[in-house]
Amino acid sequence: MNHPTPPCFTIYGRTTDRLYFVTSGDDTISVTPDVQIEVGYADLLLMRCAPVSHLEDNPLALAACRAAVAFARTHGLAIDAADAFYE
């Protein structure tokens, strides 16, 4: 029986199931490829970083960035959407 493969982001040849963005304070906004958004804490020092400007040819990652920015604005959070972090 074939099981559908969950969607993943592909960043610099690596796949990941979440992108993280820095907010004000110690919080992060994480976004999955199907745009499930959570606010929490992630240890970004242990993750890789991709400048969003390098993801212009990655529509799934750009959509996640836009979703994170919209979520932050709606919830009154400051967000640094210049970099996406991933495991």
Side-chain angles (χ1 to χ4, degrees), residues 5-20 31-33 47-48 50 55 58 60-61 85-87:
T5 304
C8 288
F9 297 105
T10 301
I11 310 289
Y12 299 136
R14 301 178 73 95
T15 57
T16 186
D17 62 348
R18 290 185 180 273
L19 292 181
Y20 298 86
V31 184
T32 63
M47 295 187 188
R48 292 171 162 66
L55 303 176
N58 189 327
L60 197 57
F85 293 86
Y86 61 101
E87 298 178 90

Side-chain angles (χ1 to χ4, degrees), residues 31-43:
V31 184
T32 63
D34 58 352
V35 195
Q36 297 297 312
I37 299 174
E38 293 180 8
V39 176
Y41 173 80
D43 191 352

Side-chain angles (χ1 to χ4, degrees), residues 18-23 25-30 39-49 84-87:
R18 290 185 180 273
L19 292 181
Y20 298 86
F21 300 91
V22 177
T23 66
D26 291 331
D27 289 331
T28 56
I29 294 175
S30 66
V39 176
Y41 173 80
D43 191 352
L44 301 179
L45 294 176
L46 300 176
M47 295 187 188
R48 292 171 162 66
C49 177
F85 293 86
Y86 61 101
E87 298 178 90

